[in-house]
Amino acid sequence: MAQNRFPFIAGLIALVCLLVYSSVFIVTERQQAIVLRFGQIVDVKEDPGIYFKLPFGFLEADTVQMIDDRLLRFDLDDIRVQVAGGKFYDVDAFLVYRITDARKFRQTVSGNTTLAEQRLRTRLDAALRSVYGQRGFEAALSEERSGMMRELRDQLRPDATSLGLTIEDVRIRRTDLTAEVSQQTFERMKAERLAEAERLRARGREAAQRIRAVADRQVVETIAEARKESEILRGEGEAERSRIFAESASRDSEFFSFYRSMSAYGHALQTPDTSMVISPDSEFFRFFRDAGVAKPATGAEAAPAVRDAAGETSVAPAQ
């Protein structure tokens, strides 16, 4: 009899273990649990621990849906927005949210995180367009950036609350020019730089002309002053030269006349091919005519002149 009871007891124990296993569920610190009975929410377990439910969830008696209780991040990339100036820019942003109302989260999106993020994507896209549409591009690169992110968060919170979510933070990661606007901006900046360069060149040319004019005036003034000083010095030199010649002439007029004639001969007969048509009896050749004729002595030194047989005149030696 005992042997016949053993299979029955073993089956009973297995059934009890199965009932216990299907009735127990564990909620960790990173989760919260929604208990469903025939598809309706009967309880929400937010604290970690071991909980019990009706067994055999496959009979739709009680089922448990685990919901994440951590901070979740959703990224939105390459959103094209139009700013107040009419130009378009590419924006990357992300938001951080938490599921704070599991019951509402289950009722609105069936507890599906992907479906909830799809709705957040639509609302974040609209909020970005609204916030950027009221400002220029420079606002996202200035101190207004933090205010823009707070405004995005405040716009998203009512919609997120309706989904059972709480928006903790919204951040703008990137604000870039689109390819078309980037090229247009580059061309505009290039034109501005070229215009600025031309203005600088014009100022440089003006300054160069002004400096050159001052330098030219200084050169003219310096040369004029130098010429003035040179003329003064030349005049003084000529005066000194004339004085010396006059003094020399007053001491020996005959020698001075001889010297001037020799200088004139030197200048007139400087080259060997010089030809002159002039009378030999002219005053110019006076010293050539008188060459070899001694100057008549005066006083006691005077000597009588005698004429030789050829008719040439000579001076007798002094007695």
Side-chain angles (χ1 to χ4, degrees), residues 41 101-112 115-116 119 123 159-165:
I41 300 174
D101 191 341
R103 188 182 299 272
K104 185 177 293 185
F105 184 68
R106 166 68 187 186
Q107 292 172 347
T108 53
V109 292
S110 302
N112 191 324
L115 184 59
R119 296 192 181 184
R123 291 164 186 175
D159 294 328
T161 302
S162 67
L163 298 175
L165 310 177

Side-chain angles (χ1 to χ4, degrees), residues 31-290:
Q31 296 174 326
Q32 50 186 324
I34 302 175
V35 180
L36 303 170
R37 181 170 296 164
F38 302 108
Q40 301 297 322
I41 300 174
V42 295
D43 197 5
V44 176
K45 305 297 184 182
E46 297 179 350
D47 298 327
I50 300 175
Y51 296 95
F52 295 92
K53 63 178 181 61
L54 293 178
F56 305 115
F58 60 88
L59 298 177
E60 296 186 357
D62 279 0
T63 57
V64 177
Q65 183 179 8
M66 293 299 179
I67 304 297
D68 211 322
D69 196 32
R70 296 172 296 176
L71 288 174
L72 303 175
R73 169 170 168 164
F74 171 64
D75 289 83
L76 190 63
D77 298 330
D78 298 327
I79 300 302
R80 177 163 294 192
V81 298
Q82 185 177 20
V83 298
K87 295 182 179 179
F88 290 89
Y89 297 89
D90 290 332
V91 178
D92 291 348
F94 71 90
L95 57 85
V96 178
Y97 69 95
R98 184 194 297 273
I99 303 172
T100 53
D101 191 341
R103 188 182 299 272
K104 185 177 293 185
F105 184 68
R106 166 68 187 186
Q107 292 172 347
T108 53
V109 292
S110 302
N112 191 324
T113 304
T114 303
L115 184 59
E117 290 182 350
Q118 289 178 357
R119 296 192 181 184
L120 288 176
R121 178 186 185 89
T122 302
R123 291 164 186 175
L124 178 58
D125 185 293
L128 283 170
R129 296 179 187 278
S130 173
V131 170
Y132 273 89
Q134 300 172 6
R135 297 172 175 83
F137 170 71
E138 295 78 8
L141 306 178
S142 66
E143 296 178 354
E144 295 186 45
R145 184 185 183 93
S146 57
M148 294 171 63
M149 292 187 290
R150 286 194 298 271
E151 186 174 345
L152 285 170
R153 181 195 62 192
D154 295 340
Q155 287 190 24
L156 288 173
R157 275 182 172 175
D159 294 328
T161 302
S162 67
L163 298 175
L165 310 177
T166 298
I167 302 298
E168 300 291 342
D169 197 7
V170 178
R171 294 288 174 177
I172 298 173
R173 292 191 293 112
R174 177 179 67 94
T175 303
D176 283 343
L177 299 169
T178 60
E180 299 82 2
V181 176
S182 179
Q183 184 63 29
Q184 294 173 3
T185 303
F186 172 76
E187 295 297 336
R188 178 177 56 81
M189 293 177 65
K190 180 180 178 181
E192 291 176 355
R193 294 301 93 192
L194 290 175
E196 181 65 21
E198 187 58 32
R199 284 195 293 269
L200 292 175
R201 292 192 192 97
R203 293 176 184 174
R205 288 192 293 267
E206 180 183 355
Q209 291 177 357
R210 184 168 58 252
I211 294 172
R212 191 177 294 110
V214 173
D216 291 343
R217 186 178 67 251
Q218 292 176 349
V219 168
V220 171
E221 292 176 354
T222 302
I223 292 175
E225 186 67 22
R227 287 177 178 174
K228 176 182 175 182
E229 293 181 2
S230 67
E231 292 297 331
I232 292 173
L233 293 175
R234 186 179 292 107
E236 292 176 352
E238 291 292 338
E240 182 67 15
R241 176 176 176 274
S242 299
R243 186 188 64 78
I244 294 173
F245 271 106
E247 185 179 352
S248 300
S250 63
R251 291 181 180 179
D252 191 344
S253 60
E254 186 65 21
F255 174 77
F256 185 70
S257 177
F258 174 75
Y259 173 77
R260 293 189 64 182
S261 296
M262 292 300 104
S263 297
Y265 295 158
H267 284 88
L269 304 175
Q270 187 172 5
T271 58
D273 57 348
T274 301
S275 299
M276 299 181 63
V277 180
I278 190 171
S279 175
D281 296 331
S282 65
E283 186 65 20
F284 183 74
F285 290 112
R286 179 168 62 88
F287 286 98
F288 284 137
R289 294 197 311 271
D290 298 339

